[in-house]
Amino acid sequence: VASRLGATPAQVALAWLHTFDRVIPLPGATRIESIESIARAMRISLTDDDRGALDAKFSGTLLRVPRSQRRPSRADGDVVIN
């Protein structure tokens, strides 16, 4: 998907996460290049086929949220992409 769109895998991942309800990706950036990359990711329009391919590849993936970034109501720190 990334190569077809002329984007990095990270940009596609960010664009894909942005399509989920109740998911708010919060990428960090300390360099102007990172900010530009994040802005590019937000301009990516994934097709239904793109989203389907990403859903099939990563559905059920367990993400670990670092302890320092956990909200008190989310003490286990686990997020499952459905």
Side-chain angles (χ1 to χ4, degrees), residues 35-48:
I35 295 168
E36 290 167 347
S37 181
I38 293 165
R40 164 77 172 106
M42 295 296 92
R43 291 190 300 269
I44 292 173
S45 294
L46 298 174
T47 66
D48 289 341

Side-chain angles (χ1 to χ4, degrees), residues 5 8-10 14 20 25 32 36-37 42 47 49 53-54 57 61 63-66 68 70 72 77 79 81:
L5 294 172
T8 67
L14 187 56
F20 284 87
I32 191 70
E36 290 167 347
S37 181
M42 295 296 92
T47 66
D49 288 342
L54 294 166
K57 177 74 176 173
T61 299
L63 303 177
R64 287 279 176 192
V65 177
S68 63
R70 295 179 189 170
V79 177
I81 298 174

Side-chain angles (χ1 to χ4, degrees), residues 4-40:
R4 185 182 60 73
L5 294 172
T8 67
Q11 288 170 329
V12 171
L14 187 56
W16 177 60
L17 288 172
H18 195 258
T19 67
F20 284 87
D21 290 337
R22 300 175 67 192
V23 172
I24 302 171
L26 300 172
T30 57
R31 299 177 311 154
I32 191 70
E33 295 85 10
S34 299
I35 295 168
E36 290 167 347
S37 181
I38 293 165
R40 164 77 172 106

